Amino acid sequence: MTHLPALVTLLTVLLLFGTMWAVGHARGKYSVKAPATTGDPAFERAYRVQMNTLEATVMFLPTLWLAAHYGFTGWAGIAGLVWLVGRVWYALAYLRDASKRGPGYLVSMLGWAAALVMACIGVARAMMVG
């Protein structure tokens, strides 16, 4: 369990690569030339999935590592896996139908919130000790 946050980090990088690939594929398929970010609705969904996942990752990774560093390594890794499952669910649902993205988003936010609580507790404990 001590290496689970590292594995989650690598899987997150693969998720980011996957969303980047989906946008590139959609650009070619729907003839959306860079730097345009609008065009066919399927391209726009792929682009939003990529941007939303990138934005969520910026909040998630530091929280994951703070929780892991301050005493919750295994639990942080599990919360990270929940976040990843939620983000993949979110991405696949959003690519098909934007109105179906909610459940995946909720699961990913629960994983992030759990990691955030652990990070806050861990940092607070460390500050009290010394």
Side-chain angles (χ1 to χ4, degrees), residues 96-113:
R96 279 186 243 116
D97 179 355
S99 69
K100 307 283 189 204
R101 70 191 188 280
Y105 176 82
L106 179 61
V107 169
S108 69
M109 290 307 290
L110 290 173
W112 174 75

Side-chain angles (χ1 to χ4, degrees), residues 43-115:
F43 166 77
E44 291 180 14
R45 286 193 307 274
Y47 181 75
R48 288 310 314 151
V49 166
Q50 181 192 25
M51 291 297 103
N52 292 344
T53 301
L54 182 59
E55 292 162 0
T57 300
V58 169
M59 292 189 327
F60 166 67
L61 283 180
T63 306
L64 170 75
W65 283 101
L66 285 169
H69 179 74
Y70 286 102
F72 295 96
T73 306
W75 288 111
I78 291 168
L81 289 175
V82 170
W83 183 86
L84 267 170
V85 166
R87 288 313 297 187
V88 169
W89 182 2
Y90 166 87
L92 293 174
Y94 201 152
L95 288 170
R96 279 186 243 116
D97 179 355
S99 69
K100 307 283 189 204
R101 70 191 188 280
Y105 176 82
L106 179 61
V107 169
S108 69
M109 290 307 290
L110 290 173
W112 174 75

